[in-house]
Structure formats: C-alpha cells, structure tokens
Amino acid sequence: MTLVRHELRQGKISFIIWTAAIGLLLAVCVFLFPEMKGQMSGISNVFASMGAFTAAFGMDILNFGTLIGFYAIECGNVLGLGGAFYASLCAVSILSKEEKDRTAEFLLTHPVSRVRIITGKLMAVFVQIAAMNLIIYVISVASIAVIGEEIPWKELNLLHLAYFLLQVELACICFGISAYMRKGSVGVGLGIAAVMYFLNLVANIAEAAEFLKYLTPFGYCEGADIVTDGCLNGTMVAVGLAFGAAGVAAAYLNYCRKDIH
C-alpha cells in the first residue's frame, strides 16, 4: 500500500486537473440543455439528413430534444475522449518512468518483488480512474437535478459504466506497453486513445468496417446503441476486457524479466 499511496501522491495534480476539466465541461453541457431544448427538435431533423457525418456520431438515431439524447452525444464525447486520454496517460508511463527518472535502482533495492511493484502501480491506476469516474458521475447527476430534469437513471448508469470500462481497457493496454518502454511517452498514450476513437468513427461510417468496433473500446460506448438497446453489447465488452487482460499479462511477463537500467 505504500507504493500505491506514493503513486497517488505523484499523480495528484494530474488527477485534479483532468477530473475538474471533464466534470466542468459535463456540467456546462447539462446546464446548456434547457436553453437549447426548444430548438433541438428541428436540429435533430437536420442532422438526420446529413448522411455519414451523423452516422459517425449516432446523431441519426438519438433525439437531441431529449435530455438523454443530448447527454449521450454531447457529454458522451467529452467523457469518452477526456476519460480515454486521462486513463491512457495515467498508465502509459507508470512503469517506464522509473528508468526515465533514474529511480529504478532505488526502487528495486528495496525488499519488494517486481510482482508487488507491478501490482501496486496497477492498483494506483485503477484507484485514480475509479475515483475520477465517481466524482464525475456525482457532478452529472447533480447537474441534471439542478436544471430540474428527470434523471434517466438506467441510461445514465449504462453510459457511465461503458466509459468506465473503456478507460479500464485503455489503461490496461497502455500499462502493458509501459512495461516495454524505457522512457515514458505521453504521445504514445494520447496516440492510442485517438486511434481507437477514429477507428470507431470509421466503423460507424462504413458498413464494411463494422468489425473495427470489436477492436476499439469506443465500439461498446456508442450512446445511440446503449440508449436504444437499453444495455451494453456483452460480446464487445468481453472482447475489450480480454484485450485489457492481455495488456496486464504482458506487463507482468515482461517487467518481471527485463533488464531495468
């Protein structure tokens, strides 16, 4: 637990900034809804006729005039991209930074096995992601209550669960990559999150590329599908968690036997 607390202290500033930024943007989006509600019905009809653009973001299915439709698209994009970037950045350098910052010798001279080191760092990543999502969820619920709208509990819970799973999957993949790197790189984490996002856009636009939804965690975070079906796609979630488990397994296998400088 000492290592977990140490990692949490080191990541405190980043955690506060990302959580505050995402939470503030979500609250602003929710507070804008009452002002835009009356105009959204007409906008939904316009968006529905814009072809591939609307299909890419699910705007041809959801109704902007409803709170959950507006929330799934506007707030979903904020939480999806923001959460994905934070989770990736949080995990991609957590193992490699010991070599980059020249602290590996100090850490490894302690009577702590590499397995415990990896486990402690992984726990720290999960704690930060879980805490961020809990705070953001409370902010979202409070914001909806403030504007006087009825809270769509089922859809809201499913959306936030989907994005939490997305962040966990990306964090696990980046955690595995971190074990192979000797210098932490925020660019790698941001790049992976961005590529996953655009793969999902391509899958939404082109029917021939629908298989890409099984390769990106954004595939099971589609607000239009979640709101319409009332559930997450179990197959996509299972595939995503398998990718995440593979990333964690790769981290343990490589970090335990690599020559750390």
Side-chain angles (χ1 to χ4, degrees):
M1 292 302 294
T2 301
L3 181 58
V4 176
R5 289 195 295 269
H6 173 72
E7 292 295 339
L8 293 179
R9 284 195 298 270
Q10 281 199 326
K12 180 175 63 176
I13 301 300
S14 176
F15 171 81
I16 293 173
I17 291 174
W18 278 94
T19 302
I22 297 172
L24 178 62
L25 287 173
L26 283 178
V28 169
C29 285
V30 173
F31 291 150
L32 285 175
F33 176 72
E35 300 297 326
M36 305 176 70
K37 184 176 181 180
Q39 308 169 29
M40 284 302 172
S41 297
I43 293 176
S44 295
N45 294 330
V46 173
F47 280 152
S49 62
M50 292 176 64
F53 176 80
T54 54
F57 297 96
M59 293 186 293
D60 56 335
I61 299 175
L62 292 174
N63 182 2
F64 263 37
T66 63
L67 173 64
I68 193 58
F70 180 83
Y71 189 93
I73 295 175
E74 298 297 333
C75 298
N77 282 323
V78 171
L79 181 55
L81 277 174
F85 285 152
Y86 175 71
S88 298
L89 291 175
C90 189
V92 77
S93 62
I94 197 164
L95 290 175
S96 59
K97 69 179 181 180
E98 302 297 345
E99 292 182 83
K100 178 185 177 183
D101 298 337
R102 305 295 183 184
T103 56
E105 289 184 6
F106 173 77
L107 178 63
L108 296 176
T109 54
H110 285 70
V112 180
S113 68
R114 291 195 184 188
V115 170
R116 287 186 61 185
I117 291 173
I118 298 172
T119 303
K121 287 177 174 287
L122 184 61
M123 286 177 61
V125 171
F126 286 159
V127 167
Q128 291 175 86
I129 292 174
M132 183 191 72
N133 278 272
L134 179 59
I135 294 171
I136 288 173
Y137 178 79
V138 171
I139 291 174
S140 296
V141 171
S143 299
I144 295 173
V146 167
I147 64 174
E149 292 285 336
E150 182 179 352
I151 301 173
W153 289 108
K154 180 180 179 180
E155 293 84 358
L156 188 70
N157 291 338
L158 285 173
L159 286 169
H160 279 266
L161 173 61
Y163 286 114
F164 173 70
L165 294 175
L166 173 146
Q167 294 161 30
V168 169
E169 180 184 341
L170 285 177
C172 289
I173 292 172
C174 290
F175 188 78
I177 293 172
S178 182
Y180 289 85
M181 298 172 63
R182 295 200 179 274
K183 292 185 178 180
S185 174
V186 297
V188 174
L190 290 174
I192 290 174
V195 167
M196 293 296 188
Y197 179 76
F198 284 108
L199 283 178
N200 187 59
L201 294 184
V202 173
N204 286 342
I205 294 172
E207 290 186 9
E210 280 193 24
F211 71 93
L212 293 176
K213 283 185 172 290
Y214 291 90
L215 302 180
T216 168
F218 285 93
Y220 54 76
C221 293
E222 280 293 334
D225 295 335
I226 293 173
V227 173
T228 301
D229 299 337
C231 63
L232 303 184
N233 187 308
T235 303
M236 290 185 186
V237 171
V239 171
L241 293 180
F243 282 138
V248 172
Y252 276 93
L253 290 172
N254 188 68
Y255 196 81
C256 286
R257 65 187 183 189
K258 73 183 290 191
D259 182 19
I260 298 177
H261 301 288

